[in-house]
Short mmCIF file of all heavy atoms in Angstrom, two decimals:
data_model
loop_
_atom_site.label_atom_id
_atom_site.label_comp_id
_atom_site.label_asym_id
_atom_site.label_seq_id
_atom_site.Cartn_x
_atom_site.Cartn_y
_atom_site.Cartn_z
N ASN S 152 -29.26 8.44 -15.37
CA ASN S 152 -29.03 9.66 -16.13
C ASN S 152 -28.13 10.64 -15.39
O ASN S 152 -28.05 11.82 -15.76
CB ASN S 152 -30.38 10.33 -16.44
CG ASN S 152 -31.24 9.50 -17.37
OD1 ASN S 152 -30.74 8.92 -18.34
ND2 ASN S 152 -32.52 9.39 -17.07
N GLY S 153 -27.45 10.16 -14.37
CA GLY S 153 -26.62 11.03 -13.55
C GLY S 153 -25.23 11.24 -14.12
O GLY S 153 -24.89 10.76 -15.21
N TRP S 154 -24.43 11.97 -13.36
CA TRP S 154 -23.04 12.19 -13.74
C TRP S 154 -22.24 10.89 -13.59
O TRP S 154 -22.64 9.99 -12.84
CB TRP S 154 -22.42 13.27 -12.85
CG TRP S 154 -22.99 14.63 -13.08
CD1 TRP S 154 -23.84 15.03 -14.09
CD2 TRP S 154 -22.77 15.80 -12.28
NE1 TRP S 154 -24.13 16.36 -13.97
CE2 TRP S 154 -23.49 16.87 -12.88
CE3 TRP S 154 -22.01 16.05 -11.13
CZ2 TRP S 154 -23.49 18.15 -12.35
CZ3 TRP S 154 -22.00 17.34 -10.60
CH2 TRP S 154 -22.73 18.37 -11.20
N HIS S 155 -21.11 10.85 -14.28
CA HIS S 155 -20.29 9.64 -14.30
C HIS S 155 -19.04 9.78 -13.44
O HIS S 155 -18.44 10.86 -13.37
CB HIS S 155 -19.88 9.29 -15.73
CG HIS S 155 -21.01 8.76 -16.56
ND1 HIS S 155 -22.05 9.55 -16.99
CD2 HIS S 155 -21.27 7.50 -17.03
CE1 HIS S 155 -22.90 8.81 -17.69
NE2 HIS S 155 -22.46 7.58 -17.73
N ALA S 156 -18.65 8.68 -12.82
CA ALA S 156 -17.41 8.60 -12.04
C ALA S 156 -16.46 7.64 -12.74
O ALA S 156 -16.90 6.69 -13.42
CB ALA S 156 -17.71 8.11 -10.62
N TYR S 157 -15.17 7.86 -12.54
CA TYR S 157 -14.16 7.04 -13.21
C TYR S 157 -13.64 5.95 -12.27
O TYR S 157 -13.13 6.23 -11.19
CB TYR S 157 -12.99 7.90 -13.69
CG TYR S 157 -11.96 7.08 -14.43
CD1 TYR S 157 -12.20 6.65 -15.74
CD2 TYR S 157 -10.76 6.73 -13.83
CE1 TYR S 157 -11.26 5.88 -16.42
CE2 TYR S 157 -9.82 5.96 -14.50
CZ TYR S 157 -10.07 5.54 -15.80
OH TYR S 157 -9.15 4.78 -16.46
N PHE S 158 -13.75 4.70 -12.74
CA PHE S 158 -13.32 3.53 -11.97
C PHE S 158 -12.17 2.82 -12.69
O PHE S 158 -12.14 2.76 -13.91
CB PHE S 158 -14.46 2.51 -11.84
CG PHE S 158 -15.61 2.94 -10.99
CD1 PHE S 158 -16.61 3.77 -11.50
CD2 PHE S 158 -15.73 2.49 -9.68
CE1 PHE S 158 -17.69 4.15 -10.71
CE2 PHE S 158 -16.81 2.86 -8.89
CZ PHE S 158 -17.79 3.70 -9.40
N VAL S 159 -11.26 2.28 -11.90
CA VAL S 159 -10.26 1.34 -12.44
C VAL S 159 -9.83 0.43 -11.28
O VAL S 159 -9.06 0.83 -10.42
CB VAL S 159 -9.06 2.06 -13.11
CG1 VAL S 159 -8.42 3.09 -12.19
CG2 VAL S 159 -8.04 1.04 -13.61
N HIS S 160 -10.36 -0.80 -11.28
CA HIS S 160 -10.07 -1.71 -10.17
C HIS S 160 -10.52 -3.13 -10.54
O HIS S 160 -11.41 -3.33 -11.36
CB HIS S 160 -10.79 -1.27 -8.88
CG HIS S 160 -12.28 -1.26 -8.99
ND1 HIS S 160 -13.09 -1.99 -8.16
CD2 HIS S 160 -13.13 -0.61 -9.83
CE1 HIS S 160 -14.36 -1.80 -8.47
NE2 HIS S 160 -14.40 -0.96 -9.49
N SER S 161 -9.87 -4.10 -9.88
CA SER S 161 -10.22 -5.51 -10.06
C SER S 161 -10.83 -6.11 -8.81
O SER S 161 -11.34 -7.23 -8.84
CB SER S 161 -8.97 -6.32 -10.45
OG SER S 161 -8.40 -5.84 -11.64
N PHE S 162 -10.74 -5.39 -7.70
CA PHE S 162 -11.26 -5.85 -6.41
C PHE S 162 -12.20 -4.79 -5.86
O PHE S 162 -12.09 -3.61 -6.20
CB PHE S 162 -10.11 -6.12 -5.43
CG PHE S 162 -9.25 -7.30 -5.82
CD1 PHE S 162 -8.32 -7.18 -6.84
CD2 PHE S 162 -9.39 -8.53 -5.18
CE1 PHE S 162 -7.54 -8.27 -7.22
CE2 PHE S 162 -8.62 -9.60 -5.55
CZ PHE S 162 -7.70 -9.48 -6.56
N ALA S 163 -13.12 -5.20 -5.00
CA ALA S 163 -14.10 -4.27 -4.46
C ALA S 163 -14.42 -4.62 -3.01
O ALA S 163 -14.32 -5.78 -2.59
CB ALA S 163 -15.38 -4.30 -5.29
N MET S 164 -14.82 -3.61 -2.25
CA MET S 164 -15.18 -3.82 -0.86
C MET S 164 -16.57 -4.46 -0.75
O MET S 164 -17.50 -4.07 -1.45
CB MET S 164 -15.17 -2.50 -0.09
CG MET S 164 -15.48 -2.67 1.40
SD MET S 164 -15.69 -1.12 2.29
CE MET S 164 -13.99 -0.56 2.41
N VAL S 165 -16.65 -5.43 0.15
CA VAL S 165 -17.93 -6.07 0.47
C VAL S 165 -18.18 -5.83 1.96
O VAL S 165 -17.72 -6.61 2.80
CB VAL S 165 -17.92 -7.57 0.14
CG1 VAL S 165 -19.28 -8.19 0.44
CG2 VAL S 165 -17.52 -7.80 -1.32
N PRO S 166 -18.89 -4.75 2.32
CA PRO S 166 -19.13 -4.46 3.73
C PRO S 166 -20.08 -5.48 4.37
O PRO S 166 -20.97 -6.01 3.71
CB PRO S 166 -19.77 -3.07 3.71
CG PRO S 166 -19.43 -2.50 2.37
CD PRO S 166 -19.39 -3.68 1.46
N LYS S 167 -19.89 -5.72 5.65
CA LYS S 167 -20.78 -6.61 6.38
C LYS S 167 -22.09 -5.91 6.72
O LYS S 167 -23.13 -6.57 6.86
CB LYS S 167 -20.10 -7.09 7.67
CG LYS S 167 -18.98 -8.08 7.46
CD LYS S 167 -18.38 -8.50 8.79
CE LYS S 167 -17.23 -9.50 8.59
NZ LYS S 167 -16.59 -9.87 9.88
N GLU S 168 -22.04 -4.60 6.86
CA GLU S 168 -23.21 -3.83 7.27
C GLU S 168 -23.69 -2.95 6.12
O GLU S 168 -22.95 -2.10 5.62
CB GLU S 168 -22.88 -2.97 8.48
CG GLU S 168 -22.46 -3.78 9.71
CD GLU S 168 -22.06 -2.90 10.88
OE1 GLU S 168 -21.26 -1.96 10.68
OE2 GLU S 168 -22.56 -3.15 11.98
N ARG S 169 -24.92 -3.17 5.74
CA ARG S 169 -25.49 -2.41 4.63
C ARG S 169 -25.54 -0.91 4.92
O ARG S 169 -25.47 -0.08 4.01
CB ARG S 169 -26.91 -2.94 4.35
CG ARG S 169 -27.60 -2.33 3.14
CD ARG S 169 -26.95 -2.77 1.85
NE ARG S 169 -27.72 -2.34 0.68
CZ ARG S 169 -27.24 -2.33 -0.54
NH1 ARG S 169 -26.01 -2.75 -0.78
NH2 ARG S 169 -27.99 -1.94 -1.56
N ARG S 170 -25.64 -0.55 6.18
CA ARG S 170 -25.82 0.85 6.57
C ARG S 170 -24.65 1.73 6.14
O ARG S 170 -24.81 2.95 6.01
CB ARG S 170 -26.01 0.96 8.08
CG ARG S 170 -24.77 0.59 8.88
CD ARG S 170 -24.91 0.80 10.37
NE ARG S 170 -23.66 0.49 11.06
CZ ARG S 170 -22.65 1.34 11.19
NH1 ARG S 170 -22.76 2.56 10.69
NH2 ARG S 170 -21.54 0.99 11.81
N VAL S 171 -23.46 1.17 5.92
CA VAL S 171 -22.30 2.00 5.55
C VAL S 171 -22.22 2.25 4.06
O VAL S 171 -21.41 3.06 3.61
CB VAL S 171 -20.96 1.37 6.04
CG1 VAL S 171 -21.00 1.13 7.54
CG2 VAL S 171 -20.63 0.09 5.28
N VAL S 172 -23.05 1.57 3.28
CA VAL S 172 -23.00 1.73 1.82
C VAL S 172 -23.83 2.95 1.42
O VAL S 172 -25.03 2.99 1.64
CB VAL S 172 -23.53 0.47 1.10
CG1 VAL S 172 -23.46 0.67 -0.42
CG2 VAL S 172 -22.72 -0.76 1.51
N VAL S 173 -23.17 3.93 0.84
CA VAL S 173 -23.84 5.16 0.39
C VAL S 173 -24.27 5.04 -1.06
O VAL S 173 -25.37 5.44 -1.44
CB VAL S 173 -22.91 6.38 0.56
CG1 VAL S 173 -23.51 7.63 -0.07
CG2 VAL S 173 -22.61 6.61 2.04
N ALA S 174 -23.40 4.46 -1.90
CA ALA S 174 -23.72 4.34 -3.32
C ALA S 174 -23.04 3.11 -3.91
O ALA S 174 -21.99 2.66 -3.43
CB ALA S 174 -23.31 5.59 -4.09
#
Side-chain angles (χ1 to χ4, degrees):
N152 294 318
W154 292 351
H155 287 71
Y157 182 75
F158 292 81
V159 53
H160 62 122
S161 300
F162 292 77
M164 183 188 285
V165 182
K167 289 181 180 177
E168 298 177 312
R169 185 69 172 165
R170 67 175 183 84
V171 304
V172 180
V173 172

